[in-house]
Amino acid sequence: MPPLDVVLGSWSMNWPALVVLIAAAILYSKGLVAAKRRDIRWPLWNSLAFFVLGLGSFAALSFGFPGTYSHDLRWAFTLKVTSYLFVVPLLIALGKPLTLARQTLGPIGAARVEAVLGHGLVRMLSNTLVAAFLGLAMFTVFLTPFFYVLRTNPGADVVLTLLVPVMGLFMTVPIMEDGAGRTGSLIVVEFIFVFIELLADAVPGVLMRLSPGILDGATSILGNHPAWFPPPLRDQQLAGDLMWFLAETVDLPLIILMFVRFSRSDRHEARSFDDLSDDEIEALNRAHLGQGGRSLD
């Protein structure tokens, strides 16, 4: 493992990441300015979560040790890309950017936000079942020789820097911010899919960790390298450990969120039935039995 001074002192420029970072900071800051104009009290915690945890983690991954050594070390590249997809979007979602946009953009702007969220591609990515298999498909590529191309090709690095965090945001933010109005039965289905994702995401990491051979075919380290660099097989094993750990750890908050939402939804539905009169309950029972009778016919 690298010395602490190397981890803390490593730095490199990533221009695509800088563009993403500046654009995200400007958009969120404009939302905060608009909220102040509208006398909307926006929680300080949400702003700190967005800038410090969300954008801060993205900057550390892009410009710090993982970004600097991702071309040479499998585990550094795996740490960066896996965190781009799972960790950074989760931390950004704590800042509630969708809620801020809906409250500050006005009717026309809010309608545009809803139009984007209602697009088929966005709805597909925010579906928990699709997210489970999308992550599995992406990390399965790490078990092939194409893994070497991804971490060494500059063009591939630009594509990953731009697309993977956005894809993670589409997968995470709508689930975390738009789930309050979902019924208990739908939350149970989503919980099942998140549990499937918990199991599926472990497969590539486990296979990478247990493989006795070098999966990407790069059996030697080219050029001069520091003495702390691990051998290729150990590098691959560390990458598998990180992928397995991060994918499983990030799924746990989503499962807890599903439990909390199901509990709130169950209490809300129970209160709604308690507020009904005897006549209304009897009418619901008759309607339910009538539907059942028609379905049997």
Side-chain angles (χ1 to χ4, degrees), residues 116 149 255:
V116 172
V149 178
I255 291 178

Side-chain angles (χ1 to χ4, degrees), residues 20 33 48 75 110 114 128 146 152 172 196:
V20 172
V33 172
L48 291 176
W75 71 265
E114 298 304 327
T128 49
F146 195 60
T152 57
T172 304
I196 293 174

